[in-house]
Amino acid sequence: MACLLFAAGAASGADSDLVNERFTTSGEDMEAHWAIDCSATVAALTEPGAQGAGQRRAELADALRKCGFIYQPPGADTVDHCPDYNRLLQALEKDDTSALDKSLKQAPACATTLH
């Protein structure tokens, strides 16, 4: 019985490393997979009414969440990313127009691909 428990524990330990594996793929491939365009999402935030309540705001928040996962994955070293999708998402969710505007003003200074 003890051997079975040890074997089960050893097997689960080996598999737990696989859970945290991240496949090597480009950001563009991941954007295509999720049918999002991170650059267009940032640009859409500057459109009149895009930050207001409603379906469009929910779509933008969902896209920002995915962009953050793609380009600023959880557990990665904290680095300045341009644009900072996670900061944009937080500002949008908190309805912090000052923080959102500040992050959006920095976005045009990013590389043309915004990644």
Side-chain angles (χ1 to χ4, degrees):
M1 181 71 164
C3 290
L4 277 174
L5 290 174
F6 176 75
S12 68
D15 291 338
S16 67
D17 291 339
L18 295 176
V19 173
N20 294 322
E21 274 302 309
R22 192 168 162 91
F23 295 108
T24 305
T25 187
S26 71
E28 290 80 14
D29 289 342
M30 291 180 76
E31 285 186 40
H33 173 74
W34 279 327
I36 59 171
D37 182 335
C38 295
S39 299
T41 299
V42 172
L45 286 169
T46 63
E47 295 171 2
Q51 300 171 20
Q55 181 66 25
R56 182 68 175 148
R57 181 184 174 124
E59 290 171 2
L60 291 171
D62 185 56
L64 286 172
R65 190 172 291 105
K66 291 173 182 172
C67 292
F69 176 78
I70 293 169
Y71 297 107
Q72 298 168 270
D77 291 336
T78 304
V79 295
D80 288 333
H81 189 274
C82 194
D84 188 336
Y85 297 108
N86 294 330
R87 185 171 292 152
L88 285 166
L89 175 62
Q90 288 174 348
L92 184 65
E93 288 179 332
K94 292 179 180 177
D95 202 23
D96 185 347
T97 55
S98 175
L100 192 58
D101 289 342
K102 181 179 178 185
S103 293
L104 287 170
K105 284 179 184 172
Q106 294 171 345
C110 298
T112 55
T113 60
L114 293 179
H115 317 133

